[in-house]
Amino acid sequence: MSVTVDGDKSVSVPQRMRRLLRGPRPESVPVVVGTACTVVGLIDVAAGVFPRFRHSRMHTLAEVLPGALGPFAAALSLSAGVLLLLLAHGLKRHKRRAWRAAVVLLPAGAVAQFAYRHSVVGVLVSLTLCYLLVRHRAQFRALPDPRSRWRALANFVLLGASSLALGLVIVSVHPGRVVGDPSIADRLQHVLYGLFGVEGPVDYAGRTSWTVAYSLGALGLLTAVTTIYLAFRPEHPAARLTEDDESRLRALLATHGGRDSLGHFALRRDKAVVFSPSGKAAVCYRVVSGVMLAGGDPIGDVEAWPGAIERFMDEAKAHSWTPAVMGCSERGGEVWTRETGLTALELGDEAVVDVADFSLAGRAMRNVRQMVGRIERNGYETRVRRARDIGPTELERIRRAAADWRGTDTERGFSMALGRIGDPADGDCVIATAHLPGTDDGPHGDLKAVLHFVPWGRDGMSLELMRRDRSADPGMNELLIVASLQAAGKLGVARVSLNFAMFRSALARGERLGAGPVLRCWRGLLIFLSRWFQIESLYKFNAKFKPRWEPRFVVFRTSRELPRIGIAAMQAEGFVNFSLPRPFRSRARRPCGHTPRTAQEHEVRAA
């Protein structure tokens, strides 16, 4: 008799039984051990915090778990539980350092179980997990993530806050043993003192005061030790483009830059790069929260893309990062999925205008034509020039204006933003500016709006930034886009890539006659989300210029990783910021701002 096991139709029942008896597959051991550490850690924390838990029906189970040791059971259980929780995620991600710490912690727990409680079951629990780790040690080879000394500050703040919250629970879960009626302020003071090993104002009857004191002291010691470790361990800074990397990328773009409108954004200097063995192709990426994000298509010769993609996947495997690609083209998505077995999902559409076909004539362009005409009658003038043709004084004024007009304090952009204006190496970029003569008394003179385009091969340009003075007339963006399209021929530009519209096809199909209920519900949800992310506004803004739509895709491994990839992408684009602000960082040192084509909600709303 044969059965199907994970797609293998030739597996017999005896073979299947032998597989089950052999235990989990090697590749699943990190997940199994990490999950086991999570469960053990949570029960240990519960056993250390809640006295009723230690004396409930779960007491027998809690006693045999790592951490429930001798007279200091509460404090040791709490410490071991927190450490196991901290290690669990690293074990699931195959991290070598987490493996080393767990291999040390689990045998120590086994020895303590035998020495204090003579618990054979407790020893077996620790040694079984340790055995799995040692037997499958080859699965734990992942290198460290990029990190810096600021990780120590983040650990101190987050773990300190968690210790404070747990401490308040510990102080408050002994109502029958508390002497008097201490206030919330007294309890908080007792926790703060206890974290430093000092007796506080709250008193308990019997041995409870020792249990609380040891538990608080253990939390404080754990916070201090982990912070000191993170502060003094070797740094692994995030990779950056070197001068050699940038020169090699520019050489590839000079030959193959016309394939992808996002190619020039690979020159962001906060990205890292891997090259194919031949050096004829490259993939640029950034690591955010354990996700290795690539943007757009690989750079270079299509025939060499598989080599660069293989290097990318090898790097992701070496660090146990989650690979993902944001905003690749249809051809790029086909190569990614064919070479790696990843899955592609349509993310939205890029608006591309062919200069030869653009005209303000006709009923379809009436609204844009009227808006541009009204602004021009108000006295506004436009200038569209290559960056190398602008003097250094004016270029610096444009740079300052773009930074001052940024709508948010957080720098935004990753896959569709360059992050700088007027760099000497970016002389081919195109800058369109709007001016209102007679208003030179402002902080930026008569400058009222700025558009910044990056090269797209030899005959195209791609919109990177839109900024405007809030006091200027509405329609500055339309005015400058029309001016740029009209001046494109003189600049040798035949195609212009505008904004990226997320879920554009769903919005377009959902409003058509005969759209089904599912599509209409999906469109309704997108319109609702547009209150915060301006999804519909970007689509309608792009549609004004009658572009052709080029689909863009997100490439990922499994659907369960999509939420994590989405959060990491939002972090990279600047929508979500989980990092702590660096002290003593002045606003003047902030790099020149930019607005990615996926995040121009302030400008579109103003338009």
Side-chain angles (χ1 to χ4, degrees), residues 197-453:
V198 180
E199 187 68 24
V202 181
D203 196 13
Y204 300 88
R207 295 175 57 85
T208 304
S209 61
W210 291 100
T211 301
V212 173
Y214 283 133
S215 299
L216 294 177
L219 287 173
L221 182 63
L222 189 63
T223 302
V225 170
T226 54
T227 301
I228 292 171
Y229 167 74
L230 292 173
F232 288 97
R233 69 176 178 172
E235 290 191 62
H236 289 267
R240 295 287 187 270
L241 281 185
T242 65
E243 293 184 2
D244 180 64
D245 291 337
E246 186 172 338
S247 63
R248 293 176 66 184
L249 286 173
R250 289 186 182 277
L252 292 177
L253 289 171
T255 306
H256 306 283
R259 296 186 183 277
D260 185 16
S261 64
L262 308 187
H264 199 84
F265 299 125
L267 298 177
R268 282 183 64 100
R269 288 162 185 161
D270 57 358
K271 288 183 177 181
V273 60
V274 289
F275 289 91
S276 65
S278 65
K280 295 181 179 180
V283 175
C284 294
Y285 67 92
R286 185 196 297 175
V287 179
V288 182
S289 299
V291 178
M292 191 178 182
L293 283 173
D297 292 345
I299 307 299
D301 188 355
V302 175
E303 298 297 327
W305 282 7
I309 291 174
E310 183 180 0
R311 288 281 180 88
F312 176 88
M313 297 300 292
D314 289 343
E315 190 78 5
K317 182 179 181 181
H319 293 82
S320 190
W321 291 330
T322 300
V325 185
M326 301 298 298
C328 66
S329 68
E330 187 170 3
R331 185 174 188 179
E334 290 175 352
V335 177
W336 274 101
T337 55
R338 184 185 70 234
E339 297 296 327
T340 63
L342 300 180
T343 303
L345 179 67
E346 185 172 338
L347 186 62
D349 294 90
E350 176 187 14
V352 178
V353 178
D354 294 315
V355 174
D357 298 333
F358 177 76
S359 173
L360 286 177
R363 182 179 180 83
M365 298 296 295
R366 182 180 59 180
N367 290 336
V368 176
R369 184 173 63 250
Q370 291 177 347
M371 179 175 291
V372 171
R374 175 180 56 81
I375 296 174
E376 290 177 339
R377 287 193 296 271
N378 289 340
Y380 285 89
E381 299 176 355
T382 59
R383 304 169 191 169
V384 182
R385 296 161 288 177
R386 296 280 184 186
R388 60 172 173 264
D389 298 328
I390 303 176
T393 302
E394 185 179 0
L395 196 59
E396 178 61 26
R397 179 160 62 102
I398 293 172
R399 189 183 295 113
R400 288 198 311 268
D404 291 344
W405 294 339
R406 190 177 63 219
T408 61
D409 292 333
T410 304
E411 293 286 347
R412 289 185 172 177
F414 164 67
S415 58
M416 302 176 185
L418 186 61
R420 60 182 183 265
I421 297 178
D423 190 281
D426 299 322
D428 287 338
C429 290
V430 175
I431 299 177
T433 55
H435 304 262
L436 183 60
T439 58
D440 298 338
D441 54 343
H444 306 294
D446 63 355
L447 183 63
K448 297 301 177 183
V450 176
L451 261 61
H452 186 238
F453 297 86

Side-chain angles (χ1 to χ4, degrees), residues 423-481:
D423 190 281
D426 299 322
D428 287 338
C429 290
V430 175
I431 299 177
T433 55
H435 304 262
L436 183 60
T439 58
D440 298 338
D441 54 343
H444 306 294
D446 63 355
L447 183 63
K448 297 301 177 183
V450 176
L451 261 61
H452 186 238
F453 297 86
V454 300
W456 174 11
R458 298 179 179 178
D459 63 345
M461 61 184 186
S462 188
L463 178 60
E464 188 263 343
L465 173 148
M466 295 194 304
R467 295 285 165 78
R468 63 184 292 274
D469 187 345
R470 303 296 185 217
S471 64
D473 292 353
M476 289 289 104
N477 294 326
E478 287 88 340
L479 173 68
L480 286 180
I481 287 177

Side-chain angles (χ1 to χ4, degrees), residues 47-66:
V49 173
F50 301 104
R52 292 183 180 180
F53 181 85
R54 294 196 297 274
H55 300 288
S56 67
R57 295 179 180 179
M58 292 294 292
H59 179 60
T60 303
L61 175 62
E63 282 186 323
V64 303
L65 295 176

